[in-house]
Amino acid sequence: MGRPFGIPVYVSPTWFIVAAFITITFAPTFQIRPPHLGVPESYAVAFAFAVLLYVSVLLHELAHCVVAKMYGLPVRRITLYLLGGVSEIEREPETPGREFMVAFAGPLLSLGLAAIGFGLEVTVVPEGGVLSLLTWQLWVANLIVGVFNLLPGLPLDGGRMLRAGVWKMTSNPGSGTIAAAWVGRGLAIAMVAVPFALALASNQSLGWEYVIWSVLLASFIWFGATQALRVARVRARIPRVNARALARRAVAVTAETPLAEALRRAAEAQAGAVVVVDHGGRPVAIVNEVAVESTPEQRRPWVTAGSLARSLEPSLVLAADLSGESLIDAMRDAPAGEYLLVERGGEIYGVLATSDVNKVFSGV
């Protein structure tokens, strides 16, 4: 839909669902309250409210992204969807203070819009008209969005702020994530349980619109918190990822070597990988494990190792001493099945298979 501040903005098809829901829900309000619009006009104004509300959501997300870009964090895009908006910031802030500021920027802007809307309604906008009603609806909606997002549970902004606080106290971002995610799960349960309990206690029934919104928002928070816990468990295993520890011993063969012979040499040397070298001994390719497994055994004497190898681009040659985040980032930048590990002097250390790295995270 555009690129404000250089950030691509997308609108999911699910937005039309919530736009229709808001229009149907709020149209009667515009008929009952002054200026008592007719049915067609009330639906048109209700739809305008839905659009303006999501403009406010877009501004909320832009606030997150602009602060993130100020800290040098790359932003992929903003997507408006069924339950609001999501900012795809590709990297986490380096410090809890920056995490707090990126998270707080959104609710702060929403509360600021609410204050501006309230001020305009009180001082500028004439009473009793469509503009007055729209202004009231928008500033109240922004107030709700701002306060709701300050609730201290992931995936809400308040949860990220809580995460930053726990991170600051414990010096462990994982501990912050786990604490904020469990609070988020508690909020999800309370969001459904408390209204029903109050309704039962007062012998009143809940409106269907309220039930739908409560269940949708509670589901959003629950699944977001669950995903945050899963990510925390994955990140806890990242320090275990060590290129040297996971490397496979490699044997070097020339490109014209039959695959069967290359595999025989690898088995004899108890190596788990085959590197193709030129006649000067320089590595030029890595034999692909998946391609080897898919080659029938009876054909292997007639297939050359070089025909099943991937050329070694510079990004596929990694330092043998990489580990943790640095290793994951290097692999993410150049996705492949195998990487050549070399010492600082350029000597071959071994081959790192992506499948071996994935095993570290299996079962998370």
Side-chain angles (χ1 to χ4, degrees):
M1 300 299 293
R3 299 178 65 90
F5 300 97
I7 303 166
V9 176
Y10 296 86
V11 177
S12 165
T14 59
W15 177 83
F16 294 97
I17 298 174
V18 75
F21 182 81
I22 291 173
T23 301
I24 294 169
T25 303
F26 283 88
T29 302
F30 293 107
Q31 296 170 30
I32 297 170
R33 295 189 58 175
H36 304 293
L37 299 174
V39 174
E41 294 85 357
S42 65
Y43 278 90
V45 173
F47 180 73
F49 168 66
V51 173
L52 291 172
L53 176 60
Y54 268 75
V55 170
S56 300
V57 172
L58 172 59
L59 294 175
H60 176 107
E61 297 301 327
L62 276 174
H64 289 307
C65 295
V66 169
V67 175
K69 286 174 72 73
M70 286 172 55
Y71 290 134
L73 304 176
V75 178
R76 182 176 300 167
R77 62 182 174 181
I78 294 172
T79 303
L80 302 179
Y81 72 115
L82 180 67
L83 294 178
V86 59
S87 302
E88 296 184 30
I89 301 171
E90 296 184 5
R91 198 170 68 244
E92 288 190 350
E94 292 84 359
T95 66
R98 292 184 176 186
E99 168 82 351
F100 184 93
M101 293 306 298
V102 171
F104 186 49
L108 181 63
L109 187 133
S110 293
L111 294 175
L113 290 176
I116 292 170
F118 176 76
L120 289 175
E121 184 191 10
V122 171
T123 61
V124 177
V125 179
E127 293 184 15
V130 172
L131 185 59
S132 174
L133 188 54
L134 268 178
T135 303
W136 180 82
Q137 294 275 18
L138 280 170
W139 79 254
V140 170
N142 274 285
L143 178 63
I144 293 171
V145 168
V147 172
F148 177 74
N149 273 280
L150 286 174
L151 293 176
L154 286 173
L156 301 175
D157 297 327
R160 292 184 60 192
M161 294 161 65
L162 173 61
R163 174 182 182 269
V166 177
W167 178 3
K168 179 70 174 178
M169 290 187 294
T170 64
S171 300
N172 185 347
S175 298
T177 300
I178 292 170
W182 277 106
V183 173
R185 282 183 162 185
L187 284 175
I189 295 171
M191 193 167 291
V192 175
V194 171
F196 277 97
L198 292 175
L200 287 173
S202 60
N203 201 26
Q204 295 179 347
S205 60
L206 293 173
W208 64 271
E209 305 98 330
Y210 189 88
V211 172
I212 290 175
W213 276 115
S214 294
V215 171
L216 278 175
L217 291 173
S219 299
F220 161 73
I221 293 174
W222 179 271
F223 288 118
T226 301
Q227 178 64 15
L229 285 172
R230 183 177 181 278
V231 170
R233 288 195 291 267
V234 169
R235 295 189 67 84
R237 297 193 181 191
I238 287 179
R240 304 183 196 176
V241 181
N242 183 289
R244 289 188 184 276
L246 295 173
R248 298 180 180 183
R249 182 183 298 178
V251 295
V253 301
T254 56
E256 61 270 15
T257 303
L259 178 60
E261 173 61 15
L263 295 178
R264 187 194 67 78
R265 294 182 192 178
E268 190 176 75
Q270 296 183 332
V274 177
V275 175
V276 176
V277 297
D278 61 18
H279 291 285
R282 291 182 296 272
V284 295
I286 301 177
V287 175
N288 184 267
E289 182 181 24
V290 175
V292 170
E293 291 175 352
S294 62
T295 303
E297 191 168 347
Q298 63 271 21
R299 292 193 64 241
R300 292 176 181 178
W302 316 104
V303 176
T304 63
S307 65
L308 300 181
R310 177 174 178 175
S311 298
L312 274 176
E313 304 163 11
S315 58
L316 300 183
V317 181
L318 306 179
D321 56 2
L322 284 177
S323 63
E325 292 275 4
S326 300
L327 177 57
I328 297 298
D329 289 342
M331 295 176 67
R332 186 188 296 120
D333 291 341
E338 294 89 13
Y339 301 85
L340 181 68
L341 299 179
V342 297
E343 299 285 9
R344 293 186 180 181
E347 303 86 2
I348 296 175
Y349 179 81
V351 169
L352 177 67
T354 300
S355 58
D356 293 339
V357 175
N358 291 338
K359 288 177 185 176
V360 176
F361 301 103
S362 61
V364 175

